[in-house]
Amino acid sequence: SLDAHRSRAPRHLTVGVVTLSDTRRPETDASGPAIRAAFEAAGHAVRGPHILREDPLTLPAALAAACAEPGLDAIVVSGGTLT
């Protein structure tokens, strides 16, 4: 049931935030900080935001490395057109 699921679910997560972009920099990335703020407001720990370039040769390994980071419960990825 929903109540049983909620009773077993973790109350707090550690979330990684990644923005995919060739044009954004930390000072121009609006989505990463907004996502971070939303998770922190809900009581979760956040790592990032990190900005990854949309290079089809390096992006898969960069995302795999992000997914392998110890202690993360989830990764939220924003952006990305990979044109």
Side-chain angles (χ1 to χ4, degrees):
S1 75
L2 179 59
D3 290 333
H5 170 76
R6 286 184 176 161
S7 72
R8 292 189 303 267
R11 299 284 183 231
H12 302 285
L13 301 173
T14 300
V15 180
V17 177
V18 175
T19 298
L20 303 181
S21 179
D22 289 331
T23 59
R24 297 291 178 213
R25 303 284 178 262
E27 57 276 0
T28 61
D29 176 26
S31 64
I35 294 167
R36 179 185 184 101
F39 275 100
E40 287 178 335
H44 302 293
V46 181
R47 296 185 193 161
H50 304 289
I51 299 174
L52 299 179
R53 301 291 150 233
E54 295 183 77
D55 180 341
L57 298 177
T58 61
L59 186 57
L63 286 173
C67 290
E69 187 175 329
L72 285 181
D73 298 302
I75 294 181
V76 177
V77 180
S78 68
T81 56
L82 202 56
T83 57

